[in-house]
Amino acid sequence: MASWKVTFPCTRDEAEAIDFEGAALLDIDPAPVLLTSETIPDDPASWQLEAYFDGKPNSAAIAAVQALAPSSDGVRPALEKLRDEDWVTMSQAGIEPVHAGRFYVHTEHNRGIVPPGARAFRIDAGLAFGTGTHETTAGCLRTLDELKVSGKRVRNLLDLGTGTGLLAFAALHLWPGAYATASDIDPRSIEVTAENAGLNHVALGEGMGQLALAVAPGMQHPLLIGRAPYDLIIANILAGPLVELAPTVSMALAEGGTLVLAGLLQDQADTVARAYRRQGLRLAGRIDNGAWPALRLVKRARYGADRVTRPGPGGVGEAPGFGSW
């Protein structure tokens, strides 16, 4: 049976909000595979949604996919019959590998030649948002690499809103003896992270050198709370949630700890940094990848409640006024 592709315009916000295996597609059998990508670099309004079908889709299936991108309402879909080839390979062929710091990120079909000394990670497209090719992820990878080069010691880290697990994997590579946690509000993202951990030989678990996983909105999970405070928190999400989470994320960061923020645009950086300065953090560094900055902040010493007497899993004691999480 021939495969078909349907393409719609969408926005970056719509792309990030798509539930790739959600109820909207349950009536389509077999379900299409969805991919999102930029059509104009650094323009959040210029993205596209591609749906790959086994067989020619009917109008109901096309409408169900189009409903995932409300901004495409009224737009005639681009319907294309594909040649008898492996369309998964075709769809990922245009995703270039990323070499950021000591890391090299690729999909199954574009491994290429790994640079000498680089740690390669395979992160395939299509199941969770982000493949490591986006400038925000590359900026985070470079920031982590620079932290290691500078001598930063990390015993306990959190990748908040992990997506595919890539940044948690990279951090564990740099600090292999650390306790590590990765969380996401989307259960499918945590499933994908577990799958990617297997592909990339990352051990799962709650011990040193292992990655613990949690489905959680923000910091609202006993595992995330119980393992605080963190020497390093990475949050590659959107500007709005970053601002909203500033009080609880800052509280979970140890004094002198480092916070890496990304997923925001240039004109949102000051607003996000200001929200964390109000919580006692200072801007210590910044990497600009096109329109997508990655911010590095450090929590000032002796700021806030002295709520935990020792860092890492097993820390004890919470002061009054700890917060909503």
Side-chain angles (χ1 to χ4, degrees):
M1 182 181 299
S3 297
W4 289 73
K5 179 176 73 171
V6 180
T7 305
F8 295 100
C10 69
T11 67
R12 177 175 181 252
D13 286 346
E14 289 169 343
E16 290 189 325
I18 289 174
D19 183 351
F20 287 89
E21 294 192 350
L25 305 179
L26 288 180
D27 293 334
I28 306 174
D29 186 24
V33 172
L34 306 180
L35 296 173
T36 60
S37 59
E38 293 176 310
T39 57
I40 300 176
D42 304 332
D43 183 355
S46 299
W47 282 61
Q48 68 180 8
L49 166 63
E50 296 173 307
Y52 292 83
F53 293 86
D54 289 331
K56 187 175 182 179
N58 58 31
S59 58
I62 293 174
V65 173
Q66 187 164 16
L68 300 173
S71 65
S72 71
D73 186 36
V75 175
R76 185 175 180 177
L79 183 62
E80 176 186 358
K81 183 179 180 180
L82 301 177
R83 296 189 301 274
D84 187 17
E85 298 181 29
D86 181 352
W87 58 262
V88 173
T89 301
M90 292 168 54
S91 69
Q92 295 190 11
I95 301 176
E96 294 297 325
V98 168
H99 187 199
R102 70 189 71 192
F103 302 109
Y104 182 81
V105 186
H106 62 90
T107 68
E108 179 183 5
H109 304 287
N110 75 344
R111 179 178 173 88
I113 300 175
V114 178
R119 172 58 163 98
F121 290 107
R122 172 183 156 186
I123 305 291
D124 292 332
L127 292 178
F129 184 78
T131 63
T133 64
H134 200 276
E135 287 86 345
T136 58
T137 306
C140 289
L141 292 173
R142 286 177 55 195
T143 300
L144 294 176
D145 188 63
E146 290 181 1
L147 283 172
K148 180 66 175 181
V149 170
S150 71
K152 173 72 175 176
R153 297 179 63 186
V154 174
R155 294 173 293 177
N156 189 25
L157 66 93
L158 169 64
D159 181 10
L160 184 69
T162 191
T164 60
L166 171 61
L167 297 178
F169 302 163
L172 257 181
H173 174 71
L174 295 174
W175 296 282
Y179 292 94
T181 311
S183 70
D184 202 286
I185 193 172
D186 182 1
R188 182 55 182 148
S189 288
I190 294 303
E191 293 174 6
V192 169
T193 296
E195 294 166 5
N196 285 338
L199 288 174
N200 292 283
H201 310 291
V202 175
L204 298 180
E206 297 186 12
M208 293 176 62
Q210 298 178 324
L211 182 62
L213 303 178
V215 177
M219 297 295 303
Q220 297 179 35
H221 193 283
L223 179 68
L224 305 189
I225 298 169
R227 292 168 75 94
Y230 300 94
D231 306 308
L232 172 65
I233 298 178
I234 311 158
N236 182 13
I237 48 180
L238 296 174
L242 287 176
V243 171
E244 182 180 351
L245 290 169
T248 51
V249 169
S250 300
M251 191 175 293
L253 189 65
E255 292 182 356
T258 297
L259 175 64
V260 177
L261 302 179
L264 54 146
L265 293 166
Q266 293 279 9
D267 59 3
Q268 298 169 329
D270 289 343
T271 299
V272 172
R274 188 180 309 116
Y276 286 86
R277 281 199 298 270
R278 291 174 181 151
Q279 304 301 322
L281 279 72
R282 62 177 178 85
L283 184 62
R286 172 173 173 162
I287 290 177
D288 290 313
N289 272 357
W292 307 95
L295 308 181
R296 176 171 59 87
L297 300 102
V298 175
K299 187 171 181 179
R300 300 179 188 276
R302 297 182 299 280
Y303 185 92
D306 184 18
R307 59 180 183 82
V308 182
T309 59
R310 68 177 190 271
V316 295
E318 295 182 5
F322 181 51
S324 61
W325 59 279

